[in-house]
């Protein structure tokens, strides 16, 4: 019996609704008992118990609880009529009055609860919308980069109003083009561009509901920064749809926020470009310093050799005389290469289009490197390997020759005593891979990271030209869409590798 | 033997002085012009054996000097120009220049080019009566009469087009022939010369047939961005340069 009761209690208390019903019944009974024993008035008793249950139902927002309470009250009345014979003698209309009262109260309760619940539902919807709006606005606040700002606007339009939207931009030439749309598959008619142009030109909204571009189903809202129209947002409206004040305010809010986001963005961009400009200025200054340094040492050498020859040419030993002359020649030759390198740099950094690319036979380029090397470094042997199949690669041959010569020159200079240099060209995937390898001491670990920056050695002292030569190599290879790397061969010496893309070669 | 006359057209006095001392030391008679008009007058009055023409002149464009000169002058013209100006060189070669030399040049290179040009000129005037029968350089022999090519006395089988390219180059050894010139001579004037891939591929194939190592060609030498030249028989440019430096 007790176990059965325990199961029953457990069953009741494990469920929220049952718990509420149990509490209601308990309250009902307690109130009824208090009213019965303390006040001795059955009507009041029923009324209080009924009210207590209503209170619970209102507090818990359960319509059916109120209904249940009403039913219980009816049963109670019937029970009282049976238990209390005195009541029977009372006129029946008293009981009927009570029933009517109960019914009226129940209905009132139920309608109250319903309306409260509805209100609550609406307020949660409102809250959700507010949240979406707020997140959208926040996102706009945080958005970095134009595409993100646009995407946020489009998402807000879609989530808040379920509307399709497009972002238009105007190019410097005045052409209108769509940059983003949501959903992706949205079809844009030619006329949309005209309406967008109207919005761009007038700086006022256009499209539906407006004089300009009324033919379009979209409303075109300009995003302005000051007087300048940065972009136009087009929002789709259904046929015959009216736009209510609240929606309009919200859209205006989003647009305002987007405008300030865009403004911030342009401001940030401007700052960034100032930063980049100053950085570029710094690099240029460093570059100039490095060049001047590099140019000065051979020039001083040449000048002192010349003045020595002019001053006391006859008294110098013929062998020393020749030596001075050949030194002058060597230094001058180096200077000449340096200047050629610098010319190439200006050519490459001015404009990528300045590359005079044409398909070249790799073996011819390699042969040219070998023959130039023979002339310049007579005692160095270049072991050249190119594919057996003729390999044509799109390149600006003069510049690539220069890159190869710079690499070979480095290999000669840093190759230690070794006079062997390997120059290998192979095909890997859709790129031609050029490898220049020496058998010298290799690169020091600190050098590898900053090999290709022009001024990596403000503090370290070493023989001239490497930094600028390699940075030129990098700019040339990058302008060709390739990559250049320097590393140490696990075996011995340094390896420089660069790739040239081969698409469109044949 | 009579001293050969060289007309130097160069506006840079410093370089002109050097050239004069170099050429006079090598037994040439040297004429000087610092402007295009002066050059044309001097050429008219002296008819030099070789003209060394710098394209960057103060008064007239070097190209115009070349065209005017070519109207009557048949001797060799060597263009002096800076590196990286391949287009200009090609244009000059197509307009009748015989050769070009890159600034800065070594003395030996310049002398070698002048020798080649003079020899060419001599050969042309001599061979107008009887054309050459064959050409030989190193192990390579081109037999023009029978249209055959030998390397170390072994016959090499070339396609008809390949042979025509080899013959064209071997007829004027040492002289640079531009890509366009070779294409229009071999494939005809209506061939698409802007697309010289076909020439490249043919040259690559020839090289694989006649050279020992295609990375160090000895016979058909590429002038990158300009054209091709056949190695010259007696004076090897490369070797003389090497010996000098």
């Amino acid at each position: 019996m007790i176990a059965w009761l325990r199961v029953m209690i457990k069953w009741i208390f494990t469920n929220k609704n049952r718990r509420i019903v149990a509490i209601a019944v308990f309250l009902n009974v307690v109130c009824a008992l208090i009213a019965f024993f303390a006040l001795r008035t059955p009507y009041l008793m029923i009324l209080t118990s009924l009210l207590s249950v209503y209170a619970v139902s209102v507090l818990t927002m359960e319509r059916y609880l109120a209904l249940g309470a009403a039913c219980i009250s009816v049963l109670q009345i019937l029970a009282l009529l049976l238990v209390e014979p005195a009541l029977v003698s009372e006129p029946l209309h008293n009981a009927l009055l009570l029933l009517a009262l109960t019914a009226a109260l129940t209905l009132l309760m139920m309608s109250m609860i319903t309306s409260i619940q509805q209100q609550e539902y609406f307020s949660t919807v409102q809250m959700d919308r507010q949240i979406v709006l707020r997140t959208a606005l926040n996102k706009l606040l945080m958005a970095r980069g134009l595409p993100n700002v646009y995407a946020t606007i489009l998402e807000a339009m879609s989530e808040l109003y379920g509307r399709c939207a497009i972002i238009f931009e105007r190019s410097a030439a005045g052409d209108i083009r769509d940059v983003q749309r949501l959903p992706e598959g949205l079809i844009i008619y030619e006329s949309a561009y005209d309406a967008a142009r109207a919005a761009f030109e007038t700086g006022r909204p256009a499209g539906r509901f407006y004089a300009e571009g009324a033919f379009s189903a979209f409303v075109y809202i300009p995003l302005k920064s000051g007087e300048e129209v940065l972009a136009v947002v087009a929002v789709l409206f259904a046929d015959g749809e009216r736009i209510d004040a609240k929606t309009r305010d919200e859209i205006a809010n989003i647009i305002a926020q987007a405008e300030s986001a865009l403004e911030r963005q342009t401001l940030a961009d401007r700052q960034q470009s100032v930063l980049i400009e100053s950085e570029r200025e710094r690099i240029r200054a460093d570059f100039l310093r490095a060049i001047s340094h590099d140019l000065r040492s051979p020039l001083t050498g040449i000048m002192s050799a010349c003045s020595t020859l002019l001053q006391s040419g006859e008294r110098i030993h013929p062998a020393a005389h020749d030596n001075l002359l050949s030194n002058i020649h060597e230094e001058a030759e180096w200077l000449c290469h340096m200047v050629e390198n610098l010319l190439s740099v200006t050519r490459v950094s001015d404009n990528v289009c300045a590359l005079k690319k044409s398909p070249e036979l790799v073996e011819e380029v390699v042969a040219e490197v070998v023959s130039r090397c023979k002339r310049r470094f007579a005692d160095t042997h270049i072991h050249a390997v190119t594919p057996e199949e003729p390999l044509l690669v799109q390149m600006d041959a003069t510049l690539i020759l220069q890159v190869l010569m710079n690499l070979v020159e480095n290999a000669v200079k840093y190759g230690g005593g070794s006079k062997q240099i390997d120059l290998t060209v192979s095909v890997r995937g859709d790129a031609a891979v050029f490898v220049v390898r020496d058998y010298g001491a290799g690169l020091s670990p600190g050098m590898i990271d900053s090999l290709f920056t022009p001024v990596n050695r403000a503090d370290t002292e070493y023989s001239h030209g490497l930094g600028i030569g390699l940075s030129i190599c990098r700019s040339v290879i990058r302008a060709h869409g390739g990559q250049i790397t320097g590393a140490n061969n696990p075996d011995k010496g340094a390896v420089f590798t660069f790739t040239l893309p081969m698409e469109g070669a044949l | 033997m009579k001293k050969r006359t060289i007309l130097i057209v160069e506006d840079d006095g410093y370089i002109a002085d050097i050239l004069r001392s170099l050429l006079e030391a090598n037994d040439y008679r040297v004429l000087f012009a610092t402007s295009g008009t002066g050059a044309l007058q001097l050429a008219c009055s002296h008819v030099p054996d070789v003209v060394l023409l710098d394209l960057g002149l103060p008064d007239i464009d070097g190209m115009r000097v070349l065209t005017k000169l070519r109207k009557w002058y048949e001797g060799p013209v060597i263009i002096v120009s800076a590196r990286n100006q391949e287009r200009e060189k090609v244009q000059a070669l197509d307009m009748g220049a015989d050769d070009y030399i890159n600034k800065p040049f070594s003395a030996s290179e310049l002398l070698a080019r002048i020798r080649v040009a003079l020899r060419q000129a001599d050969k042309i005037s001599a061979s107008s009566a009887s054309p050459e029968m064959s050409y030989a350089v190193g192990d390579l022999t081109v037999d023009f009469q029978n249209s055959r090519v030998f390397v170390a006395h072994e016959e090499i089988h070339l396609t008809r087009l390949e042979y025509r390219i080899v013959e064209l180059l071997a007829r004027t050894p040492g002289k640079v022939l531009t890509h366009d010139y070779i294409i229009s001579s071999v494939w005809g004037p209506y061939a698409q010369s802007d697309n010289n891939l076909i020439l490249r591929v043919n040259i690559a194939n020839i090289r694989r047939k006649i050279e020992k190592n295609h990375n160090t060609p000895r016979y058909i030498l590429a002038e990158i961005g300009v054209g091709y030249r056949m190695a010259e028989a007696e004076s090897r440019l490369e070797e003389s340069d090497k010996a000098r430096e």
Side-chain angles (χ1 to χ4, degrees):
Chain A
M1 179 66 190
I2 294 172
W4 190 79
L5 207 69
R6 195 177 289 157
V7 169
M8 179 91 167
I9 289 169
K10 205 175 172 186
W11 180 76
I12 289 169
F13 279 87
T14 45
N15 182 294
K16 184 189 154 205
N17 290 342
R18 274 175 235 141
R19 216 161 37 225
I20 291 165
V21 171
I23 291 168
V25 170
F26 176 71
L27 270 176
N28 191 345
V29 172
V30 169
C31 287
L33 287 177
I34 290 170
F36 187 72
F37 289 109
L39 306 168
R40 310 290 299 174
T41 35
Y43 298 127
L44 207 62
M45 175 196 93
I46 290 163
L47 210 62
T48 39
S49 69
L50 203 56
L51 281 175
S52 72
V53 177
Y54 286 149
V56 172
S57 62
V58 166
L59 283 175
T60 56
M61 285 295 160
E62 289 294 334
R63 262 178 293 174
Y64 299 105
L65 204 57
L67 197 66
C71 295
I72 291 171
S73 300
V74 172
L75 286 176
Q76 273 175 344
I77 293 164
L78 292 177
L80 273 173
L81 287 176
L82 288 176
V83 172
E84 196 75 39
L87 277 175
V88 184
S89 60
E90 292 278 317
L92 195 63
H93 72 259
N94 270 357
L96 288 175
L97 194 76
L98 202 65
L99 272 176
L101 196 67
T102 311
L105 265 172
T106 308
L107 280 174
L108 187 74
M109 273 303 138
M110 287 182 68
S111 75
M112 241 174 78
I113 291 171
T114 311
S115 85
I116 288 172
Q117 274 182 345
Q118 243 170 22
Q119 250 178 28
E120 201 165 60
Y121 171 73
F122 275 121
S123 73
T124 46
V125 167
Q126 206 71 34
M127 286 254 275
D128 283 352
R129 228 171 129 98
Q130 283 293 326
I131 288 168
V132 171
L133 186 64
R134 195 145 339 121
T135 7
L137 294 181
N138 273 341
K139 254 193 190 163
L140 280 177
L141 258 173
M142 307 295 292
R144 292 280 168 274
L146 281 183
N148 288 333
V149 172
Y150 293 156
T152 315
I153 297 172
L154 293 180
E155 274 167 28
M157 290 300 164
S158 155
E159 280 178 28
L160 280 173
Y161 313 108
R163 289 187 193 286
C164 307
I166 313 165
I167 308 270
F168 291 95
E169 257 185 7
R170 183 159 58 169
S171 71
D175 297 322
I176 309 290
R177 59 196 170 82
D178 56 292
V179 281
Q180 277 190 28
R181 59 181 99 170
L182 196 75
E184 294 284 334
L186 192 62
I187 293 166
I188 304 175
Y189 292 105
E190 269 312 301
S191 60
Y193 295 98
D194 297 335
R197 187 186 303 279
F200 267 113
E201 275 161 11
T202 58
R204 288 192 304 274
R208 203 159 175 167
F209 317 130
Y210 296 96
E212 303 262 19
F215 48 81
S216 178
F218 287 85
V219 169
Y220 300 82
I221 310 160
L223 290 176
K224 290 196 281 190
S225 159
E227 280 307 297
E228 188 193 357
V229 181
L230 297 172
V232 163
V233 186
V235 185
L236 183 64
F237 282 82
D239 264 347
E241 187 182 0
R242 301 298 312 168
I243 185 165
D244 63 81
K246 199 168 162 53
T247 310
R248 196 166 49 210
D249 286 352
E250 277 178 12
I251 292 181
N253 202 351
I254 291 175
I255 296 296
Q257 194 76 339
E259 277 175 351
S260 69
L262 284 179
E263 207 159 337
R264 244 191 340 269
Q265 184 65 40
T266 40
L267 216 68
D269 283 353
R270 222 163 279 160
Q271 258 173 356
Q272 186 67 26
S273 75
V274 167
L275 222 80
I276 289 172
E277 190 51 45
S278 68
E279 174 69 9
R280 196 176 289 157
E281 205 53 49
R282 195 184 63 76
I283 291 174
R284 198 172 293 155
D286 285 351
F287 196 60
L288 271 179
R289 199 170 327 131
I291 292 166
S292 326
H293 187 265
D294 279 353
L295 292 182
R296 195 175 49 194
S297 48
L299 277 175
T300 47
I302 290 172
M303 280 173 70
S304 52
C306 282
S307 66
T308 312
L309 286 173
L310 284 172
Q311 274 280 303
S312 39
E314 303 92 51
R315 277 168 287 153
I316 297 174
H317 190 270
H321 193 274
D322 281 1
N323 194 27
L324 276 177
L325 279 175
S326 66
N327 277 349
I328 292 174
H329 185 252
E330 201 174 289
E331 295 283 25
E333 192 167 19
W334 185 86
L335 279 174
C336 197
H337 279 276
M338 186 74 184
V339 172
E340 254 173 50
N341 270 340
L342 292 176
L343 282 174
S344 306
V345 164
T346 50
R347 218 172 106 202
V348 172
S349 55
D350 276 357
N351 193 348
V352 179
C353 306
L355 288 181
K356 285 181 272 180
K357 279 212 234 175
S358 60
E360 297 288 347
L361 270 175
V362 166
E363 63 199 52
E364 285 175 1
V365 177
V366 168
E368 179 71 21
V369 171
V370 171
S371 100
R372 279 194 200 176
C373 264
K374 257 186 204 153
R375 262 177 279 162
R376 278 189 61 198
F377 317 107
D379 49 349
T380 303
H381 175 69
I382 293 200
H383 179 64
V385 178
T386 58
E388 195 44 46
E389 282 295 303
L391 177 61
L392 281 156
V393 178
Q394 282 279 355
M395 62 170 98
D396 186 320
T398 338
L399 291 177
I400 294 299
L401 265 175
Q402 206 169 343
V403 168
L404 283 167
M405 282 310 289
N406 281 340
L407 294 179
V408 167
E409 199 178 339
N410 277 340
V412 170
K413 219 184 275 173
Y414 302 101
S418 165
K419 294 298 178 196
Q420 166 86 26
I421 294 169
D422 292 348
L423 168 51
T424 315
V425 186
S426 56
V427 179
R428 195 191 300 154
D430 53 358
V433 184
F434 293 69
V435 180
V436 177
R437 179 190 170 175
D438 67 47
Y439 291 85
L443 308 160
S444 67
M447 268 168 86
I448 292 182
D449 300 329
S450 53
L451 267 178
F452 297 100
T453 44
V455 277
N456 59 342
R457 65 223 150 72
D459 39 2
T460 61
E461 195 56 50
Y462 69 80
S463 129
H464 45 237
L466 175 67
I468 288 171
L470 283 181
S471 89
I472 285 157
C473 292
R474 184 179 60 173
S475 9
V476 169
I477 298 301
R478 279 194 181 165
H480 278 80
Q483 284 169 330
I484 183 164
T485 52
N488 275 327
N489 200 52
D491 194 12
K492 200 180 179 202
V495 185
F496 284 88
T497 308
F498 69 85
T499 59
L500 291 179
M502 291 207 305
E503 84 272 68
L506 278 169
Chain B
M1 186 181 149
K2 185 181 150 263
K3 269 193 184 182
R4 310 302 281 269
T5 313
I6 298 179
L7 171 60
I8 298 173
V9 190
E10 166 68 64
D11 63 322
D12 185 337
Y14 176 67
I15 292 186
D17 278 349
I18 295 173
L19 287 178
R20 185 202 291 275
S21 38
L22 172 71
L23 293 175
E24 283 180 346
N26 283 277
D27 263 359
Y28 292 106
R29 205 173 130 239
V30 180
L31 297 170
F32 252 113
T34 51
S35 66
T37 36
L40 289 170
Q41 279 166 7
L42 270 181
C44 246
S45 51
H46 289 82
V47 194
D49 294 295
V50 179
V51 177
L52 269 184
L53 177 63
D54 191 314
L55 289 180
L57 292 174
D59 55 345
I60 333 175
D61 180 29
M63 291 298 177
R64 285 196 46 209
V65 177
L66 179 63
T67 24
K68 283 194 174 169
L69 200 59
R70 267 289 171 245
K71 279 182 185 154
W72 60 272
Y73 178 73
E74 285 173 348
V77 177
I78 300 175
I79 298 297
V80 180
S81 87
R83 213 170 248 162
N84 300 344
Q85 296 179 326
E86 266 69 25
R87 195 169 305 173
E88 208 170 60
K89 286 174 216 159
V90 171
Q91 204 184 343
L93 289 172
D94 283 338
M95 277 162 67
D98 291 75
D99 204 348
Y100 69 88
I101 184 161
N102 286 324
K103 255 202 243 180
F105 43 77
S106 70
S108 54
E109 198 182 350
L110 177 68
L111 291 174
R113 291 291 159 87
I114 291 174
R115 278 198 303 273
V116 169
L118 285 172
R119 219 174 1 244
Q120 283 282 327
D122 293 347
K123 207 162 66 184
I124 288 167
S125 54
S127 67
S128 47
S130 58
E132 274 191 63
M133 298 301 181
S134 70
Y135 170 73
V137 57
D139 286 339
L140 175 76
T141 311
V142 185
D143 180 351
F144 298 134
Q145 248 183 339
N146 303 310
S147 304
R148 290 163 80 181
V149 175
F150 300 89
V151 173
H153 306 295
E154 228 167 276
E155 186 168 1
I156 304 291
H157 294 282
L158 297 178
T159 66
R160 202 174 50 86
L161 281 173
E162 284 167 358
Y163 174 77
R164 281 170 69 180
I165 295 170
V166 171
E167 181 185 348
L168 187 71
L169 288 166
R171 287 271 184 199
T172 54
K175 186 178 170 175
V176 182
L177 304 182
T178 62
H179 295 140
D180 286 2
Y181 177 78
I182 301 175
I183 288 174
S184 65
S185 312
V186 173
W187 278 270
Y190 301 108
Q192 285 195 322
S193 60
D194 52 316
N195 181 0
N196 56 33
L197 286 177
I198 187 161
L199 173 63
R200 306 304 185 87
V201 172
N202 272 286
I203 292 273
N205 289 337
I206 296 170
R207 223 182 255 137
R208 276 160 182 71
K209 288 179 183 173
I210 65 172
E211 305 276 3
K212 270 195 194 128
N213 178 352
H214 59 262
N215 292 316
T216 49
R218 296 170 58 215
Y219 307 120
I220 297 184
L221 309 173
E223 299 286 326
I224 290 186
V226 181
Y228 293 98
R229 77 163 92 217
M230 179 64 85
E232 235 245 328
E234 293 106 301
S235 97
R236 301 264 174 70
L237 291 178
E238 310 274 326
E239 276 165 30
S240 63
D241 282 358
K242 199 171 152 184
R244 183 85 181 198
E245 286 182 10

